[in-house]
Amino acid sequence: MLPRTLRQSPLLLALAGFGSAAYVPRDSSSLSVKVPAASAVAESAQIDPSFCGFAFEEASFVRYAQDDNGKANAFSANLINAVTSRTGGNPIIRLGGTSPDYGKYLPGQKEPALPVAEQNNYQDVGHTTIGPSYWDLTHNFPGAKYMVQVPLATTNISETIAWAQSAVKGIGLENIHSIQPGNEADLYADDYRGEGGIPLQPPQYQGRLSNETYVGNWTKYADAILGAVKLPQGRFFTAFDVATKFGNAVQEEAYIFDVETCFKLGIDKKNIIKEVSHHYYQRNAGTAEDLAAGLMDTSVTHNHLDQFKRHISWLKKNHPKIPFILNEVGNSLFKTNSYEFQARLGSALWQVDFYLYSMAIGIARINYQQIMHAGYDLWLPIASAGHEAQVFSNFYSQPFVADFIGSSGKTKVAKLDISGKNAPANLHAYAAYEDDVAKRIAIANLDYWIKTPSGVDRPSVTLDLLVPKGVESVKVYHLSSPLGAGAAADTITYGGSQWTYKSLGKEVKNVRKDTETIAVKNGAASVKVRSSEAVLVWL
């Protein structure tokens, strides 16, 4: 695809006081971005410092948690810490997926999980087994809290109880965030088959479920767990975990296993649901040529996320203490991997905007999925199938978003409207407030540009930030690469820093010296944002 061109345009971001500042456009092409009044921002929920969560497919977790010598994987631990240390939150880690829903717990198995996950094999649905030592690996990430998925697909409820009992014993109740019966139960089918064509069908496994039969099964299994395992009083279960939908079917996200209907059917009659969750993947993976339309068209992303607003609104009104989360997220699905689409600067920028927009509409947490074979991963934890352990481009979204959230525990987020002629379609700005004062502005410019032999200049926009009185300068951190949207991780920096396997996941500073301190002149700071770049502005 030929890169689109966008001439440099001035924008005015009004930050004076708590309302929107009036100004006269300098010319007919000027664009403006105004911060909402404080009263509007105050209505949004505070962002959980643990918003940036993690998720691992069952067998893959073994490789992320320990190195080839059987020791705690310091590379993984350092990368997780690089995110959570910025907000002060605990890592909330989900262990689950389709493989454990159809898996078995074998108390005599010495290996943590079988078959062993590698970069070139797929999750083995229908053959995955874990042993007691699996849960021991959870202690390799100090301070982590775990979302423990247990089987709902099986009709053998004793299997579910065995998973729950062994998890509580091995992890410790104090380290368990929630128990989650089932995974994507809306995809259970009467004719479902796993890897190698193994039948995973009634009567040994659940068939197709409706709202009524899902609620009946879920409450039955939750009751069995409560009867067999001593759990804390109150809300300790994650429910729903609905599968993602694509294309024209995306509207089904709003009503498949409908939240309101299932609550009226009694899914929470014992007041045990801690959070309602869905899964999200943008589409099936493409090639490099598909990156612009596939991930960098933010209208697709925002329209998909908007399907969740109905659930978020209903919960806020009827069960305000139960948040709506996305506990399995990736940029796209593919049975193997397509790194040229799934792991480039463009996909990292997709992730930045995805997280920021999610916060703005009321999604309470995101757990980003990792599977050894997946192309959308944040990092590959060990050398596998001829691939070296490495950090992928998508990781760079995480410290950026964590810095935007900050460490105060008071942050609230608002998406800022951009008005004016010729505003780039994929340019978005978000404000982070603390005590009703704007502290940071994130600007994501997903306008597609790649460096080509033709040497087409990289387009940019300039934003004139009208800052509150007393602010004399702003600091601007860039998430970018000189190669543009198609860049792999080796040329990407955030705030001039990189994270690599060579550094064992620790931050390497001053790789690129592009952080700017911009003086405020006449109440404004002019910030340039290039196409295929995101910037974080500290006020």
Side-chain angles (χ1 to χ4, degrees):
M1 172 179 283
L2 293 175
R4 290 182 288 136
T5 59
L6 176 69
R7 68 183 183 83
Q8 184 168 313
S9 302
L11 295 88
L12 183 92
L13 182 55
L15 297 169
F18 298 134
S20 57
Y23 79 104
V24 178
R26 288 170 295 178
D27 56 57
S28 60
S29 65
S30 292
L31 305 174
S32 64
V33 184
K34 297 182 180 180
V35 173
S39 58
V41 178
E43 294 176 358
S44 64
Q46 289 185 351
I47 303 302
D48 187 346
S50 298
F51 182 89
C52 296
F54 303 88
F56 298 95
E57 182 271 330
E58 201 79 9
S60 294
F61 177 68
V62 177
R63 316 310 301 274
Y64 282 89
Q66 67 179 11
D67 62 22
D68 287 331
N69 296 317
K71 297 180 179 180
N73 192 316
F75 180 45
S76 292
N78 289 336
L79 288 171
I80 290 175
N81 183 66
V83 179
T84 58
S85 63
R86 287 170 148 76
T87 65
N90 292 111
I92 297 181
I93 298 175
R94 174 184 181 253
L95 303 176
T98 305
S99 55
D101 208 14
Y102 292 91
K104 290 182 171 58
Y105 173 75
L106 302 179
Q109 179 174 301
K110 293 183 179 180
E111 295 84 356
L114 292 173
V116 175
E118 298 290 356
Q119 188 275 344
N120 63 346
N121 64 12
Y122 189 63
Q123 56 177 319
D124 202 336
V125 178
H127 304 99
T128 298
T129 60
I130 66 169
S133 63
Y134 181 85
W135 307 117
D136 295 339
L137 298 177
T138 61
H139 301 292
N140 288 357
F141 301 112
K145 307 296 180 185
Y146 289 89
M147 305 175 70
V148 180
Q149 183 191 309
V150 297
L152 178 67
T154 180
T155 56
N156 179 11
I157 204 166
S158 297
E159 182 72 50
T160 305
I161 292 172
W163 280 69
Q165 288 176 328
S166 63
V168 168
K169 181 179 179 181
I171 301 174
L173 269 177
E174 69 279 7
N175 298 318
I176 295 180
H177 172 82
S178 67
I179 291 177
Q180 173 200 318
N183 175 79
E184 300 181 349
D186 55 307
L187 298 184
Y188 295 171
D190 297 337
D191 57 353
Y192 181 65
R193 291 181 178 272
E195 287 302 295
I198 181 174
L200 302 172
Q201 307 158 2
Q204 289 82 16
Y205 295 93
Q206 308 284 353
R208 182 185 175 95
L209 300 181
S210 63
N211 287 330
E212 290 78 9
T213 52
Y214 171 67
V215 170
N217 279 279
W218 193 92
T219 53
K220 176 183 176 181
Y221 281 56
D223 286 347
I225 294 168
L226 288 168
V229 184
K230 188 175 181 180
L231 299 178
Q233 293 290 321
R235 301 189 177 278
F236 204 67
F237 287 80
T238 300
F240 293 87
D241 286 87
V242 177
T244 198
K245 305 294 184 292
F246 297 144
N248 293 332
V250 72
Q251 295 178 358
E252 296 177 14
E253 301 271 20
Y255 61 84
I256 294 293
F257 283 1
D258 182 62
V259 173
E260 179 179 357
T261 300
C262 290
F263 269 77
K264 289 180 177 178
L265 287 169
I267 194 169
D268 193 39
K269 62 184 177 182
K270 290 191 174 180
N271 299 314
I272 59 172
I273 293 180
K274 185 173 187 176
E275 54 205 359
V276 169
S277 67
H278 270 236
H279 297 173
Y280 186 103
Y281 295 88
Q282 183 104 330
R283 51 167 283 168
N284 288 317
T287 63
E289 289 73 23
D290 302 311
L291 183 58
L295 292 179
M296 299 181 73
D297 183 346
T298 56
S299 66
V300 176
T301 306
H302 296 181
N303 177 64
H304 193 160
L305 285 168
D306 284 346
Q307 306 307 312
F308 302 128
K309 286 182 176 179
R310 180 172 175 268
H311 303 315
I312 295 167
S313 176
W314 188 86
L315 287 168
K316 183 177 180 180
K317 180 178 179 180
N318 295 277
H319 296 277
K321 294 185 178 180
I322 301 178
F324 182 89
I325 67 170
L326 298 174
N327 72 352
E328 182 182 315
V329 170
N331 60 47
S332 56
L333 287 170
F334 195 38
K335 195 166 184 175
T336 54
N337 41 67
S338 177
Y339 291 123
E340 69 271 19
F341 176 89
Q342 296 177 297
R344 292 295 182 260
L345 175 61
S347 59
L349 295 174
W350 168 85
Q351 201 165 339
V352 166
D353 183 72
F354 179 87
Y355 276 55
L356 297 174
Y357 190 79
S358 294
M359 284 187 275
I361 67 172
I363 291 171
R365 191 178 67 256
I366 292 173
N367 295 84
Y368 195 84
Q369 180 77 340
Q370 306 237 71
I371 309 179
M372 282 289 291
H373 71 81
Y376 55 74
D377 285 341
L378 302 176
W379 70 91
L380 186 66
I382 59 169
S384 177
H387 292 262
E388 294 298 320
Q390 60 190 288
V391 175
F392 292 119
S393 64
N394 299 323
F395 175 81
Y396 284 81
S397 66
Q398 299 300 282
F400 182 103
V401 172
D403 278 342
F404 175 79
I405 294 170
S407 59
S408 70
K410 300 178 181 180
T411 297
K412 299 176 183 179
V413 175
K415 186 176 186 297
L416 308 177
D417 292 331
I418 300 176
S419 59
K421 296 181 180 179
N422 302 317
N426 297 312
L427 175 72
H428 300 283
Y430 303 83
Y433 292 85
E434 296 174 8
D435 296 323
D436 295 331
V437 178
K439 293 290 187 180
R440 293 168 296 279
I441 303 297
I443 304 163
N445 188 354
L446 275 69
D447 183 60
Y448 179 80
W449 177 86
I450 58 171
K451 186 175 182 179
T452 63
S454 63
V456 176
D457 289 341
R458 190 173 194 166
S460 65
V461 293
T462 296
L463 297 89
D464 292 333
L465 311 187
L466 185 59
V467 298
K469 291 181 179 180
V471 177
E472 297 181 353
S473 64
V474 300
K475 200 160 189 178
V476 182
Y477 298 87
H478 296 258
L479 169 54
S480 192
S481 164
L483 301 183
D490 58 346
T491 66
I492 296 173
T493 56
Y494 162 57
S497 295
Q498 286 190 328
W499 290 260
T500 67
Y501 181 69
K502 184 177 180 180
S503 71
L504 210 58
K506 293 186 177 181
E507 183 175 2
V508 181
K509 298 182 179 181
N510 297 316
V511 175
R512 183 172 295 124
K513 296 183 178 181
D514 59 357
T515 298
E516 305 170 87
T517 299
I518 297 176
V520 173
K521 297 179 180 179
N522 299 319
S526 295
V527 177
K528 184 168 74 172
V529 187
R530 297 173 298 174
S531 293
S532 300
E533 177 180 63
V535 301
L536 183 59
V537 183
W538 288 70
L539 306 181

